[in-house]
């Protein structure tokens, strides 16, 4: 009798363990149906006033279906002595905000403070304070290069080599105007020339990911675009996108574009706007961030040329949910817009937002990444974006990471795989993407 009771207990324990494992797997791979659990700065519903929508979109000066082609989108063989290629339709988000004492006299961003929850009751139940590098950094993973400085030329060279290894042809650089930075960083615009030069040595192109900043208006955005094109437009690494009409234009990603109402964007992005860049030397392909479903209508009314999803957490927002991509792509096709889905290897930001565990997406040794990439390819996009190369705070990086344990921290890692596992997965899927595109065009 006792033996049977023991067997029953063991069987019940194993069954419970199986159910728990299955639920964790589903949580990782299946989209969530709720989009309300958003991180700071993402409190859209009820927090921000409803944008007045424009009834019609003033057609931009660069019409026609956006289809890549020509020298800016072909495979390029980057080394004459090596059979390796990179692809200009695989774009990867890159951050330049890290600092270390050797190069910057202090740690920057690696010591990012813990962000408190906006509800004081919830905030009180989670840790507060910050991090103390180099042993304790603001990330759940630990970089192979250690808590580095973005100013270190050796770091830049290593990063470009890794991006080349991943076959990503376009680095999408997080950019603030001169003298401007995020809340926890320092201005980095002076580093852009070094990034451009390093990228060119590896046949990588650079596009700009314009970040929101205090006082951003259609006038200031006009000035920003003019500044970027005047300063970097003639550099060999400056990325341009070829449309089906034969126009070759700079491509800009605009983060948190929803913060500016459509009425302001039309002044910049439509031919009749007071600050219009359409049909001028500063024209371009402008891609807005879609978070909520209603944003697609605002993006259309604003005069943007396309939309991207950015977030690596499937189910975190309407835009980042794989299950919605087919409908978003159909909307874009019907309105002559680019749809650029963003995929990532996983997501975990609890090193900076300790209360946000419900938005964590486990990597499952690369299966989450491959599921995301397959979802992106299934809608036949012109471009796929990777979130990210080195957004360490949100655990979405594909940069090399290593196992590390300290007295107070046990970091996540890529084991049982090697530090370059996600670089190799990216290359494999970039090659698959381009083989699939060849079939689509047949």
């Amino acid at each position: 009798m006792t033996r049977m009771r023991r067997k029953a207990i063991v069987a019940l324990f194993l069954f419970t363990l199986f159910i728990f494992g299955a639920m964790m797997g589903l949580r990782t791979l299946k989209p969530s149906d709720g989009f309300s659990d958003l991180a700071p700065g993402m409190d859209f519903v009820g927090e921000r006033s409803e944008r007045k929508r424009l009834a019609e979109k003033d057609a931009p000066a660069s019409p026609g279906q956006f289809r890549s082609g020509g020298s800016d989108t072909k495979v390029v063989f980057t080394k004459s002595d090596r059979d390796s290629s990179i692809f200009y339709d695989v774009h990867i988000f890159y951050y330049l905000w890290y600092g270390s004492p050797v190069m910057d006299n202090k740690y920057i961003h690696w010591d990012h403070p813990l962000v408190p929850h906006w509800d004081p009751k919830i905030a009180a139940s989670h840790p507060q304070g910050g991090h103390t590098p180099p042993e304790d950094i603001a990330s759940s993973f630990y970089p192979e290069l250690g808590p580095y400085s973005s100013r270190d030329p050796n770091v830049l060279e290593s990063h470009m080599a890794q991006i080349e290894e991943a076959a990503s042809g376009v680095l999408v650089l997080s950019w603030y105007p001169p003298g401007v930075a995020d809340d926890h960083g320092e201005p980095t615009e002076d580093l852009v020339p070094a990034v451009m030069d390093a990228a060119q040595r590896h046949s990588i192109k650079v596009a700009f990911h314009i970040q929101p900043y205090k006082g951003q208006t259609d006038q200031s955005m006009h000035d920003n675009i003019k500044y970027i094109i005047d300063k970097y437009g003639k550099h060999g690494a400056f990325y341009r996108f070829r449309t089906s009409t034969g126009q070759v234009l700079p491509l800009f990603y605009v983060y948190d574009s929803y913060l500016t109402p459509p009425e302001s964007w039309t002044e910049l992005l439509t031919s009749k706007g007071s600050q219009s860049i359409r049909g001028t030397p500063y024209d371009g392909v402008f891609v807005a961030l879609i978070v909520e479903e209603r944003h697609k209508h605002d993006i259309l009314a604003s005069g943007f040329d396309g939309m991207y999803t950015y977030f690596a957490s499937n189910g975190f927002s309407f835009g980042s949910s794989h299950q919605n991509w087919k409908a978003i792509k159909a909307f874009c096709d019907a309105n002559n817009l680019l749809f650029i889905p963003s995929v990532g290897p996983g997501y975990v930001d609890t090193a900076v937002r300790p209360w946000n565990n419900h938005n964590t997406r486990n990597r499952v040794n690369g299966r989450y990444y491959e599921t995301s990439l397959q979802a992106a390819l299934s809608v036949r996009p012109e471009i796929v974006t990777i979130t990210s190369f080195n957004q360490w705070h949100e655990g979405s990086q594909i940069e090399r990471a290593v196992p590390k344990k300290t007295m107070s921290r046990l970091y996540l890692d890529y084991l049982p795989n090697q530090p370059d596992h996600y670089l190799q997965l990216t290359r494999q899927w970039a090659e698959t993407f381009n083989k699939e595109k060849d079939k689509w065009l047949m």
Side-chain angles (χ1 to χ4, degrees):
M1 191 70 178
T2 302
R3 185 177 297 174
M4 290 180 64
R5 188 178 293 115
R6 286 178 181 171
K7 287 183 178 180
I9 292 172
V10 170
L12 180 61
F13 172 76
L14 292 174
F15 179 74
T16 304
L17 191 62
F18 171 78
I19 293 297
F20 176 77
M23 289 178 67
M24 288 301 292
L26 286 172
R27 176 190 179 211
T28 301
L29 298 174
K30 185 180 179 181
S32 166
D33 291 327
F35 311 119
S36 59
D37 296 319
L38 304 177
M42 301 296 296
D43 47 341
F44 310 108
V45 181
E47 295 293 329
R48 305 198 187 279
S49 61
E50 185 74 21
R51 310 297 191 195
K52 179 182 176 184
R53 298 177 185 173
L54 299 185
E56 297 179 355
K57 178 187 176 184
D58 187 8
S62 52
Q65 286 294 325
F66 286 99
R67 181 171 297 281
S68 56
S71 61
D72 284 334
T73 52
K74 287 182 180 178
V75 173
V76 57
F77 291 90
T78 59
K79 302 289 183 184
S80 60
D81 60 345
R82 190 196 320 163
D83 185 22
S84 64
S85 53
I86 61 176
F87 302 92
Y88 292 122
D89 48 10
V90 179
H91 298 187
I92 189 163
F93 294 111
Y94 183 84
Y95 292 86
L96 201 59
W97 56 23
Y98 300 106
S100 67
V102 173
M103 301 297 296
D104 307 273
N105 297 317
K106 61 180 178 180
Y107 284 107
I108 303 173
H109 263 271
W110 300 114
D111 61 350
H112 196 291
L114 297 173
V115 179
H117 195 277
W118 52 85
D119 183 335
K121 293 181 180 179
I122 297 177
S125 64
H126 291 281
Q128 300 179 19
H131 295 275
T132 53
E135 298 297 290
D136 173 29
I137 64 172
S139 172
S140 293
F141 294 85
Y142 203 85
E144 184 180 68
L145 296 174
Y148 53 76
S149 170
S150 297
R151 293 184 178 275
D152 187 336
N154 294 323
V155 168
L156 271 182
E157 188 63 26
S158 173
H159 284 177
M160 299 306 145
Q162 290 183 55
I163 293 171
E164 179 186 354
E165 184 180 352
S168 179
V170 179
L171 179 158
V172 183
L173 180 64
S174 180
W175 186 85
Y176 289 91
V180 181
D182 68 281
D183 291 341
H184 304 288
E186 302 284 343
T188 58
E189 209 288 323
D190 63 307
L191 300 182
V192 176
V195 174
M196 303 285 285
D197 291 344
Q200 187 171 24
R201 289 193 293 272
H202 291 266
S203 300
I204 294 167
K205 303 293 184 182
V206 178
F208 288 78
H209 193 196
I210 300 176
Q211 300 295 312
Y213 54 87
K214 186 177 181 180
Q216 189 178 55
T217 64
D218 53 285
Q219 174 65 63
S220 70
M221 281 292 293
H222 183 280
D223 295 342
N224 298 157
I225 299 302
K226 184 176 185 298
Y227 175 90
I228 290 170
I229 292 176
D230 284 347
K231 187 166 184 178
Y232 304 114
K234 294 182 180 179
H235 196 287
F238 189 76
Y239 176 68
R240 286 181 170 84
F241 179 84
R242 185 185 298 274
T243 73
S244 63
T245 61
Q247 290 180 294
V248 180
L249 300 170
L251 187 147
F252 297 94
Y253 293 89
V254 184
Y255 189 71
D256 278 0
S257 48
Y258 59 85
L259 294 176
T260 300
E263 297 92 325
S264 293
W265 285 123
T266 57
E267 297 298 324
L268 179 73
L269 299 177
T270 62
S271 59
K272 296 179 182 179
S274 61
Q275 305 292 333
S276 179
I277 45 75
R278 298 305 188 186
T280 76
Y282 305 108
D283 203 351
V285 176
F286 294 87
V287 185
L289 177 65
I290 177 171
V291 181
E292 297 180 29
E293 183 174 12
R294 67 182 178 89
H295 289 159
K296 64 186 182 183
H297 301 288
D298 291 343
I299 289 167
L300 178 63
S302 297
F304 280 100
D305 303 296
M307 57 190 77
Y308 72 115
T309 63
Y310 184 76
F311 299 106
S313 182
N314 182 22
F316 173 69
S317 70
F318 173 85
S320 71
S321 296
H322 304 163
Q323 64 185 5
N324 297 325
W325 287 355
K326 184 177 180 180
I328 299 173
K329 177 65 158 56
F331 176 87
C332 288
D333 287 348
N335 291 283
N336 191 24
L337 298 173
L338 275 169
F339 174 54
I340 304 179
S342 303
V343 301
Y347 185 92
V348 53
D349 67 357
T350 51
V352 291
R353 301 183 187 105
W355 40 265
N356 200 36
N357 185 60
H358 53 277
N359 280 316
T360 294
R361 299 294 180 265
N362 300 315
R363 295 191 173 215
V364 204
N365 295 326
R367 280 189 291 160
Y368 177 86
Y369 196 23
E370 295 195 272
T371 299
S372 302
L373 287 158
Q374 184 59 60
L377 267 58
S378 70
V379 299
R380 299 189 173 189
E382 285 292 339
I383 295 169
V384 171
T385 47
I386 308 297
T387 306
S388 63
F389 179 75
N390 64 340
Q391 223 299 11
W392 288 92
H393 302 318
E394 296 180 347
S396 66
Q397 80 290 334
I398 67 167
E399 184 182 353
R400 292 170 177 260
V402 293
K404 187 173 179 66
K405 182 179 181 180
T406 71
M407 293 292 291
S408 61
R409 296 283 304 273
L410 175 61
Y411 290 90
L412 300 175
D413 55 54
Y414 301 163
L415 293 176
N417 300 294
Q418 297 299 311
D420 67 348
H421 180 58
Y422 293 95
L423 303 176
Q424 295 304 319
L425 277 181
T426 305
R427 168 170 286 280
Q428 292 169 21
W429 278 88
E431 292 171 349
T432 298
F433 179 34
N434 276 267
K435 289 176 182 177
E436 290 296 313
K437 287 180 77 172
D438 288 342
K439 296 178 182 177
W440 304 340
L441 298 174
M442 290 176 63

